[in-house]
């Protein structure tokens, strides 16, 4: 059986064709790409998998814009995998799909930024998640700034972190990058955007 990955949220579909709609983020089949060289093994039944998905959706995620650079070029993407690992020193981890341009930039520059989004920024999630930096300049009409690492940070965000990669873990389709936080600030005192809120209000 073939595997299809949603280029927006990284959901993986098993079947001969992509789904009519992504069950996670709601985009159509045109936003799916085939995962080349891999076939689906079924360790659990379709019914069991549906139950697992329902359980996973109860995880408490945030939504973030992860930025990086490659020389003078910058790019960023939406992600829901970013969390603190240690507090002394401050280290965070992010999960990035290897097929994404941001992964390429982080791998080469060894730096990344995290812009933490608020509830009113669902359109920001779509802007940085529903299109590829290989086809458009996502920052052409978005205000941003840089700090120590040069990775782009959204001016309109609740808070931000600037990070240098210290470790990475290969987890198949994704890489977990562990970053030392070298800068950051809280810009607004508002509720952050969670994945659950996004799913209910997209």
């Amino acid at each position: 059986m073939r595997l299809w990955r949603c280029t927006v949220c990284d959901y993986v579909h098993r079947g001969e064709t992509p789904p009519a709609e992504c069950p996670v983020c709601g985009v159509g089949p045109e936003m799916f790409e085939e995962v080349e060289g891999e076939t689906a093994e079924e360790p659990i039944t379709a019914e069991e998998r549906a139950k697992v998905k329902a359980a996973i959706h109860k995880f408490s995620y945030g939504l973030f814009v992860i930025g990086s650079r490659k020389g003078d070029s910058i790019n960023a993407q939406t992600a829901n995998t970013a969390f603190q690992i240690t507090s002394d020193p401050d280290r965070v981890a992010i999960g990035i799909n290897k097929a994404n341009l941001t992964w390429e930039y982080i791998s080469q520059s060894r730096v990344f930024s995290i812009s933490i989004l608020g509830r009113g920024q669902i359109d920001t999630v779509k802007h940085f998640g529903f299109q590829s930096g290989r086809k458009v300049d996502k920052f052409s009409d978005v205000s941003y700034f840089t700090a120590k690492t040069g990775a782009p940070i959204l001016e309109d965000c609740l808070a931000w972190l600037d990070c240098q990669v210290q470790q990475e873990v290969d987890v198949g389709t994704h890489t977990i990058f562990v970053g030392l936080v070298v800068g950051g600030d809280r810009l607004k005192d508002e509720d952050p955007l969670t994945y659950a809120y996004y799913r209910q209000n997209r």
Side-chain angles (χ1 to χ4, degrees), residues 1 14 42-54:
M1 190 172 294
R14 293 161 168 78
E42 296 293 346
I44 60 177
T45 67
E47 182 179 347
E48 289 170 332
R49 180 171 172 77
K51 292 179 179 178
V52 168
K53 282 293 182 186

Side-chain angles (χ1 to χ4, degrees), residues 24 70 109 154:
V24 176
K70 180 181 176 184
S109 67
L154 301 186

Side-chain angles (χ1 to χ4, degrees), residues 5-168:
R5 183 185 68 87
C6 176
T7 59
V8 175
C9 70
D10 293 329
Y11 167 77
V12 176
H13 172 77
R14 293 161 168 78
E16 289 306 309
T17 60
E21 179 179 292
C22 177
V24 176
C25 68
V27 298
E30 72 280 358
M31 298 303 291
F32 278 77
E33 63 183 13
E34 187 169 5
V35 181
E36 296 182 5
E38 294 188 29
T39 57
E41 297 179 6
E42 296 293 346
I44 60 177
T45 67
E47 182 179 347
E48 289 170 332
R49 180 171 172 77
K51 292 179 179 178
V52 168
K53 282 293 182 186
I56 286 175
H57 286 162
K58 292 301 181 182
F59 273 131
S60 179
Y61 296 105
L63 278 170
F64 315 93
V65 171
I66 308 297
S68 190
R69 63 176 175 81
K70 180 181 176 184
D72 294 331
S73 298
I74 58 172
N75 191 60
Q77 68 166 74
T78 300
N80 66 0
T81 308
F83 51 95
Q84 185 179 18
I85 294 290
T86 64
S87 59
D88 188 16
D90 291 307
R91 292 189 184 93
V92 295
I94 58 172
I96 303 295
N97 193 297
K98 294 177 184 177
N100 293 352
L101 184 63
T102 303
W103 179 91
E104 178 184 321
Y105 281 24
I106 296 172
S107 294
Q108 292 197 20
S109 67
R110 315 302 291 168
V111 300
F112 64 87
S113 62
I114 303 174
S115 296
I116 301 170
L117 304 179
R119 284 189 172 186
Q121 295 186 276
I122 289 177
D123 286 344
T124 302
V125 171
K126 295 177 180 179
H127 177 81
F128 283 97
F130 285 26
Q131 54 188 346
S132 170
R134 292 187 174 91
K135 298 179 180 179
V136 298
D137 177 3
K138 298 182 187 181
F139 285 97
S140 62
D141 57 354
V142 174
S143 297
Y144 70 95
F145 63 96
T146 60
K148 289 182 182 179
T149 71
I153 300 161
L154 301 186
E155 286 190 2
D156 185 14
C157 68
L158 298 191
W160 59 272
L161 298 170
D162 198 25
C163 308
Q164 295 175 341
V165 174
Q166 287 192 319
Q167 293 176 269
E168 60 182 84

